[in-house]
């Protein structure tokens, strides 16, 4: 099969189109013929080597975390899916490789594709929707009547997180450029802040939750808009010792993460707020819950551009540019 891979970590490097054997399916796995694959900032960060300390991959490495496709083979222990099922998934760390024609995925990471959307739309969903779910439902336990600040509302995570937060009954504030305001209002945002002209710190106060996806300076300002006991959840770092513990990292990694997150943890403690880092994980059961929200039109995918498979490098460059409104996807089949 054909696949796009990296042979070394390189921020400016490009993915190489290679021929590799199709995956061998283990007992608890399904073989998926890939129809579409979603692109994420995470793919760019892995390519540049930014996460090699916490995700020590062996090279060469086929990139890609999001997939939508059809099951062509099922392992002997698979009970929830059958050949011919249309599925989507965020593939687990260390098993990635959706920039390809086929992939083997553990059935626990898979969910049936929502019936009311296309393969391309489905491929845009898993990583960003699971990120939003794990931040707002699992970690923040966001409740009706609470206030949440979701940064970068027009991005992949932002567009889904806004819709999920509204479904949960929260008041939603977000930052974006003015040209995205109409779209974000339609998705459910209540307070729209033009990051080019306005400072969110002077507008927002007494918030229950912040979903941070920006730099450390923005994160520090975000801590100050929270009410005492409020929660700042960051998907852009810095990672914490608690995260290192959760992934079973070595004492060296734990020490490094403790040092790089010390400043922000100290500031949070002083303000009486909680800081945590989220590195989302694959979860087929949570994705099935998200399927229900898509099929009842509570959540609508926001698709920016679809690139043909052979233009995977152009697609990744587009994601790296930061101009994406919603998600970029590659159409494999």
């Amino acid at each position: 099969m054909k696949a796009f891979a990296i042979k070394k970590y390189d921020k400016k490097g490009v993915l190489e189109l290679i021929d590799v054997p199709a995956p061998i399916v283990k007992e608890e796995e399904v073989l998926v013929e890939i129809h579409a694959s979603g692109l994420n900032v995470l793919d760019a960060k892995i390519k540049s080597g930014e996460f090699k300390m916490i995700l020590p991959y062996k090279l060469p490495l086929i990139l890609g975390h999001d997939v939508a496709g059809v099951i062509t083979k099922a392992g002997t222990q698979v009970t929830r899916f059958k050949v011919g099922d249309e599925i989507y998934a965020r593939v687990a760390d260390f098993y990635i490789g959706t920039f390809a024609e086929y992939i083997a995925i553990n059935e626990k990471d898979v969910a049936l594709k929502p019936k009311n959307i296309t393969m391309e739309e489905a491929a845009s969903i898993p990583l960003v929707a699971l990120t939003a779910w794990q931040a707002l439902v699992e970690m923040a336990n966001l409740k009706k009547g609470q206030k949440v600040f979701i940064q970068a509302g027009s991005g992949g995570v932002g567009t889904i997180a806004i819709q999920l937060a509204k479904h949960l009954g929260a008041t939603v504030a977000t930052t974006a450029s003015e040209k995205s305001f109409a779209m974000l209002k339609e998705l459910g945002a209540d307070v729209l802040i033009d990051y080019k002209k306005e400072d969110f710190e002077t507008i927002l106060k007494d918030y229950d939750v912040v979903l941070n996806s920006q730099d450390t300076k923005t994160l520090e300002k975000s801590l100050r808009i929270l009410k005492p006991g409020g929660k700042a959840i960051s998907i852009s770092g810095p990672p914490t010792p608690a995260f290192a513990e959760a992934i079973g990292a070595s004492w060296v990694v734990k020490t490094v993460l403790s040092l790089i997150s010390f400043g922000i943890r100290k500031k949070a403690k002083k303000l009486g707020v909680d800081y945590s880092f989220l590195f989302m994980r694959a979860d087929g059961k949570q994705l099935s819950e998200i399927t229900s929200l898509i099929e009842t039109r509570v959540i609508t995918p926001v698709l920016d551009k679809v690139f043909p498979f052979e233009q995977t490098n152009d697609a990744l460059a587009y994601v790296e540019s930061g101009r994406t409104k919603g998600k970029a996807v590659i159409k494999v089949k």
Side-chain angles (χ1 to χ4, degrees):
M1 68 170 187
K2 296 204 176 309
F4 277 95
I6 55 166
K7 290 185 175 169
K8 62 174 185 173
Y9 293 123
D10 186 351
K11 191 170 184 168
K12 291 179 180 167
V14 293
L15 309 183
E16 207 173 303
L17 184 60
I18 58 171
D19 277 303
V20 290
I24 292 161
V25 183
K26 293 176 186 160
E27 325 182 297
E28 70 286 356
E29 292 180 336
V30 291
L31 183 67
V32 177
E33 181 181 43
I34 298 173
H35 283 232
S37 177
L39 295 106
N40 297 283
V41 174
L42 179 59
D43 298 307
K45 288 188 173 184
I46 287 175
K47 175 177 79 87
S48 69
E50 207 172 309
F51 281 128
K52 64 186 175 187
M53 185 166 67
I54 56 176
L55 289 174
Y57 279 107
K58 285 180 184 154
L59 301 174
L61 171 68
I62 301 168
L63 287 178
H65 295 76
D66 279 331
V67 62
V70 176
I71 293 175
T72 57
K73 192 175 181 182
T76 53
Q77 302 290 315
V78 171
T79 57
R80 291 172 48 228
F81 302 97
K82 63 185 187 305
V83 170
D85 282 347
E86 294 190 343
I87 62 90
Y88 69 153
R90 188 286 201 202
V91 187
D93 296 323
F94 301 110
Y95 297 94
I96 67 169
T98 65
F99 298 169
E101 292 176 314
Y102 289 89
I103 190 166
I105 316 171
N106 191 301
E107 74 163 335
K108 72 179 183 347
D109 300 329
V110 175
L112 290 171
K113 179 184 86 66
K115 293 183 180 74
N116 59 328
I117 60 173
T118 64
M119 285 286 188
E120 291 77 30
E121 287 172 320
S124 77
I125 287 282
L127 186 143
V128 293
L130 286 168
T131 300
W133 184 277
Q134 288 164 21
L136 301 179
V137 177
E138 201 174 80
M139 294 174 78
N141 193 20
L142 192 65
K143 295 274 196 292
K144 189 175 180 180
Q146 288 189 316
K147 297 194 294 185
V148 59
F149 172 42
I150 294 163
Q151 294 164 10
S154 63
V157 173
T159 51
I160 302 298
I162 288 168
Q163 296 177 76
L164 181 59
K166 283 312 286 183
H167 170 64
L168 296 170
T171 296
V172 182
T174 193
T175 46
S177 63
E178 206 173 340
K179 61 186 177 196
S180 299
F181 280 10
M183 172 186 79
L184 296 176
K185 216 166 196 168
E186 213 170 287
L187 295 178
D190 301 289
V191 182
L192 296 152
I193 299 160
D194 184 347
Y195 73 90
K196 292 178 180 175
K197 299 174 188 168
E198 298 170 299
D199 181 357
F200 69 81
E201 196 186 352
T202 63
I203 298 165
L204 309 176
K205 66 173 186 176
D206 292 334
Y207 269 62
D208 298 281
V209 179
V210 170
L211 180 52
N212 174 74
S213 56
Q214 306 299 298
D215 57 19
T216 309
K217 189 181 167 192
T218 308
L219 175 57
E220 285 176 11
K221 286 166 67 170
S222 299
L223 297 178
R224 296 194 286 268
I225 68 153
L226 286 167
K227 60 166 66 163
K231 293 179 179 179
I233 299 162
S234 178
I235 58 173
S236 55
T240 59
F243 163 71
E245 194 73 46
I247 63 165
S250 68
W251 69 268
V252 177
V253 172
K254 281 180 194 167
T255 306
V256 171
L257 297 190
S258 180
L259 288 169
I260 63 174
S261 65
F262 177 76
I264 205 75
R265 288 185 291 117
K266 189 180 175 186
K267 283 179 175 127
K269 194 175 180 182
K270 197 175 177 183
L271 290 163
V273 299
D274 181 68
Y275 169 69
S276 51
F277 171 69
L278 169 63
F279 195 87
M280 64 74 56
R281 66 185 189 282
D283 191 316
K285 282 186 180 165
Q286 288 182 354
L287 199 53
S288 294
E289 302 233 28
I290 290 157
T291 297
S292 303
L293 295 180
I294 294 168
E295 289 184 340
T296 53
R297 303 192 190 280
V298 168
I299 287 176
T300 303
V302 178
L303 201 52
D304 184 342
K305 273 191 181 183
V306 178
F307 292 80
F309 183 51
E310 56 272 18
Q311 286 177 24
T312 295
N313 274 305
D314 296 336
L316 194 56
Y318 183 63
V319 169
E320 287 177 287
S321 75
R323 297 195 310 269
T324 321
K325 303 292 175 219
K327 290 295 295 288
V329 166
I330 52 174
K331 183 178 172 69
V332 182
K333 186 176 171 63

